[in-house]
Amino acid sequence: MVGRPGLPAVTGEVHLVRAAGHHAGHPWSATADLRIGGRQVVAVAEEATGTETVDRLQDRLRRQTDRATEAWAGKHRTAAPPWRGGTAENIRTT
């Protein structure tokens, strides 16, 4: 579901549950709690059928995985200050 080239190591759990009561509007629910390269990704979906629930969860995971991959690749990371292992060039003097 989330494995593809360029993606860091992925670990975690996915739970798919059907509600016991017939009165539930969306009896199927799914929760995914993953770690992608040290970043937590959580997605939740509720739908009328198991297939719809899995499809919705997969779409949400794909969007969040894309964001996590971009952050992991360094596109959205800020430079670390010297006291966190960065260089002195990262400090702006005014």
Side-chain angles (χ1 to χ4, degrees):
M1 185 186 311
V2 294
R4 62 177 188 252
L7 193 64
V10 178
T11 59
E13 297 180 349
V14 176
H15 296 276
L16 180 65
V17 180
R18 183 175 182 191
H22 298 289
H23 63 280
H26 297 291
W28 287 91
S29 65
T31 305
D33 185 3
L34 307 176
R35 302 272 308 148
I36 301 174
R39 183 178 174 129
Q40 185 176 17
V41 173
V42 178
V44 178
E46 293 181 344
E47 293 296 331
T49 68
T51 303
E52 291 173 348
T53 305
V54 170
D55 289 345
R56 176 72 52 104
L57 184 69
Q58 188 173 8
D59 290 343
R60 290 179 179 175
L61 278 175
R62 186 172 290 118
R63 280 194 306 268
Q64 291 190 26
T65 301
D66 290 345
R67 288 186 205 137
T69 303
E70 288 174 2
W72 182 78
K75 293 180 182 176
H76 296 291
R77 291 186 182 167
T78 58
W83 57 89
R84 295 216 175 168
T87 62
E89 298 170 357
N90 297 337
I91 296 180
R92 189 182 336 164
T93 56
T94 54

